[in-house]
Every structure is written in C-alpha cells, then in structure tokens.
Amino acid sequence: MREPPSSAPEGSLIDPEVHVESFRQAREARRLELVEDYVELIADLIGDGGEARQVDIAARLGVAQPTVAKMLKRLAEDGLVQQRPYRGVFLTAAGEALAAQSRERHRIVERFLCAVGVSPETARRDAEGIEHHVSAETLDAFRRFADGHSDA
Amino acid sequence: MREPPSSAPEGSLIDPEVHVESFRQAREARRLELVEDYVELIADLIGDGGEARQVDIAARLGVAQPTVAKMLKRLAEDGLVQQRPYRGVFLTAAGEALAAQSRERHRIVERFLCAVGVSPETARRDAEGIEHHVSAETLDAFRRFADGHSDA
DNA sequence: GCATAAGTATAGCTATTGCTATAACTGCGC
DNA sequence: GCGCAGTTATAGCAATAGCTATACTTATGC
Ligand SMILES: [Mn+2]
Ligand SMILES: [Mn+2]
Ligand SMILES: [Mn+2]
Ligand SMILES: [Mn+2]
C-alpha cells in the first residue's frame, strides 16, 4: 500500500482501486437480489392466478410467512408494491417495471446457460443466483449467443 | 396450493417444490460468498507480498477495517484462517483448499465471459458476483467452451 | 349466522454484515 | 529507549434477513 502502481511484479493482484470496484458492484447486486426476486415472483403469481398471497410467495421462496410479511412492508415503503390488509399484494407501476426487467434478464440468462450446454434443471437453479450479477453488457453478449444458437 | 400439479395451465409458473430449490440454492450460495472472497483474497495477498494484513484486505474489499477484523474472527472460528494478534492472517489447510478451489472457479468464469464476447473490464466485475452461483456442471460447460475458443 | 379453517399481522428473538469512534499494541526512526 | 505512525482490537450502533409463537381477520361450509 505504500508503493507506486508499477513496482511489485510478483503476484496475481491487480490495482487495489480497480479491484475494489468489482467487490462494490457485487455487494450492490446482492443488496438488490431479494427485491428483484420478490417483484418477479409477485408478477408471475398474479399472471398465473390473478393474485399473490403471502403463503404462496413463502412456499415458492422457501421461507416462513412472517419473513414475507416483513419484506412486503419494505417493498411497500419503497413504492414497489401496494398491499391491502388481509387481501393480496399488487405491484405499482415501478414494481411492474422492475419485475418485467428482472424477468426478462432471468429468462435470457437461463436460456443462455442451456445454449452453452448446461442441462435445463441446472440452468434453472444456477440462473436464480447468476441473474442478479449480470450487467447490461454481459446480458447483451448472452442474448446474442443464445440467439445465434437456437434452431429457430 | 390446493390443487394437484396439473390443473392450472395458464401461467409461466413451475411446480412450487421445484421452484423453491432454486431459491434455496441461491440463498446458500449467498451465505458462502463472503467466505470464499475472503480466503481467495487472503491467498492472493500472501502470494503477492508474503502477508495478508487487515488494512489491505479492507482496501481491496472496499469495507472498513473493523468489518474485516470481525470476519477474520469468524473465519478463525470456522478453522479457515489462523491469526496472530497484530501480525497478519494465515490460511489453514482447509482455508488453502477453499481458496484454491474458489480462485480456480473465479478464473474459469472470468475467462469464459471474455470468450463469449464480454470486455475484460466487465468480465472482471461481473465474475466477482457470478462465480459464487456457478455449479459444478455449469463450471464444466464454461471450461469446455473457453477451452474451445482460445487461440492456443 | 356461526364454527372453523385459512390466511395475515405482530412481537420478539438471532445471525450477518456493515459502520464510526476509540483504545491498545508494534515496529521503526532517530 | 522513546516517540510516533501504522495497524489491530474493541465497543456500540443499524439495517437486513431469517426464525417461532401467537393473535387477529377473513372466508367458507353447513
Ligand atoms: Mn429471477
Ligand atoms: Mn434470483
Ligand atoms: Mn473470487
Ligand atoms: Mn466473488
């Protein structure tokens, strides 16, 4: 930490200021993961059955219902959902927009993994985590690749 | 939640028991992210300068030094590192093993992203988050693809 | 219309991951 | 050998994300 950038050529380490950017980006993505998964799931549940209820969200996410209740409160505070007490939860315009974007990115990542030779089951599972860390540039590359490798 | 698997064909939703597996896997990966990043970084710092000091770890991760101190205590409890007070931190055999595995996976993911057309800078940044969600099967696919697309 | 089941809300707990402020220690320079 | 800069340790706080237990509300069957 006390030498100019070009004096220690021994290891595999890059410049600290550059290195830290990657970790910051990953932390920011991790911070948004849950929110993205929630609005995407809520949109899917509403599209599937007309309503998104806490118990169904909890069952799909694999968490307890009070955990969902608390998160929905936060999403409501953030203006992404609107909940009517003892009725379901609905997406605001902002929530719809984030859900659409998240769903599209999710779909592209999963399709790309399949295109590169991963089995559908593994692609489904890995995509659930990978999606949140895929930047716009990488998403473009994934889309191009998948498009070029579909038999349509 | 009260109907047999094949009765509501309207939406894009898969079986809840299948769906939940993806979310559980992503949560588990998220739980291990920090640990993997720490041991990998510690291994790199030791390889580069012979020692891993809290201030350097903190600077690379972009967090405060007490945050690193607390995490190192946890890693020591978990048997991954050994710290000597006011000296640096060192990896145990278990820590070395996890570091080697994490670094290799990280390297493959980054190389793969480049091979698929992502710029080196974006590949570096996205790989920092993506790596933790890549299963063994997907890693194999990435490795195969990158090997087939290197000009060596 | 009432009992009961299903769903939701709330309280209170824990663990994790971050922070700032400050104290304590080590190693060097002189 | 002492002082001081650098490093590490510790205390205390906050936000997030999970849990169980329990109370409350709604919907449904009869
Ligand atoms: Mn998703
Ligand atoms: Mn996801
Ligand atoms: Mn890594
Ligand atoms: Mn990482």
Side-chain angles (χ1 to χ4, degrees):
Chain A
M1 293 297 282
R2 61 197 83 60
E3 27 202 316
S6 52
S7 71
E10 56 282 83
S12 63
L13 280 169
I14 61 175
D15 183 59
E17 283 83 41
V18 174
H19 204 171
V20 76
E21 284 174 31
S22 306
F23 285 117
R24 283 194 206 282
Q25 174 178 308
R27 268 202 307 280
E28 177 65 8
R30 205 172 48 197
R31 204 177 61 82
L32 301 175
E33 266 186 55
L34 260 189
V35 171
E36 293 169 350
D37 284 339
Y38 265 85
V39 296
E40 185 187 347
L41 178 55
I42 290 168
D44 285 346
L45 283 169
I46 291 176
D48 191 75
E51 61 179 7
R53 294 181 305 184
Q54 291 188 10
V55 282
D56 293 335
I57 296 172
R60 299 239 165 215
L61 292 179
V63 298
Q65 167 265 325
T67 299
V68 173
K70 197 189 296 185
M71 178 61 59
L72 292 183
K73 209 172 285 182
R74 234 189 72 204
L75 295 179
E77 284 168 9
D78 294 353
L80 293 170
V81 306
Q82 191 186 359
Q83 43 183 350
R84 284 181 294 187
Y86 289 94
R87 304 301 170 93
V89 58
F90 304 91
L91 294 170
T92 63
E96 294 265 22
L98 181 58
Q101 182 185 328
S102 298
R103 175 154 47 179
E104 173 68 358
R105 191 190 52 188
H106 192 143
R107 202 184 56 82
I108 292 170
V109 169
E110 189 167 336
R111 197 161 66 97
F112 168 78
L113 289 177
C114 288
V116 86
V118 177
S119 72
E121 300 78 32
T122 299
R124 182 170 36 68
R125 299 222 276 237
D126 288 11
E128 193 57 76
I130 289 175
E131 55 168 345
H132 310 281
H133 297 273
V134 170
S135 66
E137 183 193 332
T138 298
L139 193 65
D140 271 348
F142 283 8
R143 186 165 23 215
R144 272 196 305 273
F145 183 89
D147 283 347
H149 287 252
S150 73
D151 13 11
Chain B
M1 294 298 281
R2 59 198 83 59
E3 27 203 317
S6 51
S7 73
E10 57 282 83
S12 63
L13 280 169
I14 61 175
D15 182 59
E17 282 84 38
V18 174
H19 204 170
V20 76
E21 284 174 31
S22 306
F23 286 117
R24 283 194 206 282
Q25 174 177 309
R27 269 202 306 280
E28 177 65 9
R30 205 172 49 198
R31 203 176 63 82
L32 301 175
E33 265 185 56
L34 259 189
V35 172
E36 293 169 350
D37 283 339
Y38 265 85
V39 295
E40 186 187 346
L41 178 55
I42 290 168
D44 285 346
L45 284 169
I46 290 177
D48 192 73
E51 61 178 8
R53 292 182 307 184
Q54 290 188 11
V55 281
D56 294 335
I57 296 172
R60 299 239 164 216
L61 292 178
V63 298
Q65 168 265 324
T67 300
V68 173
K70 199 189 293 185
M71 178 60 61
L72 292 182
K73 208 172 286 181
R74 235 190 69 204
L75 295 179
E77 284 168 9
D78 294 352
L80 292 170
V81 307
Q82 190 185 359
Q83 43 183 350
R84 284 180 296 184
Y86 288 93
R87 304 300 171 94
V89 59
F90 303 90
L91 294 170
T92 64
E96 294 267 22
L98 181 59
Q101 182 185 328
S102 298
R103 174 153 49 178
E104 173 69 358
R105 190 191 52 190
H106 191 143
R107 201 185 57 82
I108 291 170
V109 169
E110 189 167 336
R111 196 162 65 96
F112 168 78
L113 289 177
C114 288
V116 85
V118 177
S119 72
E121 299 78 33
T122 299
R124 182 172 36 69
R125 298 222 277 237
D126 288 11
E128 193 57 75
I130 290 175
E131 54 167 348
H132 309 283
H133 297 274
V134 170
S135 66
E137 183 194 333
T138 298
L139 192 65
D140 271 348
F142 283 9
R143 187 165 22 215
R144 271 196 306 273
F145 183 89
D147 283 347
H149 287 252
S150 75
D151 14 9

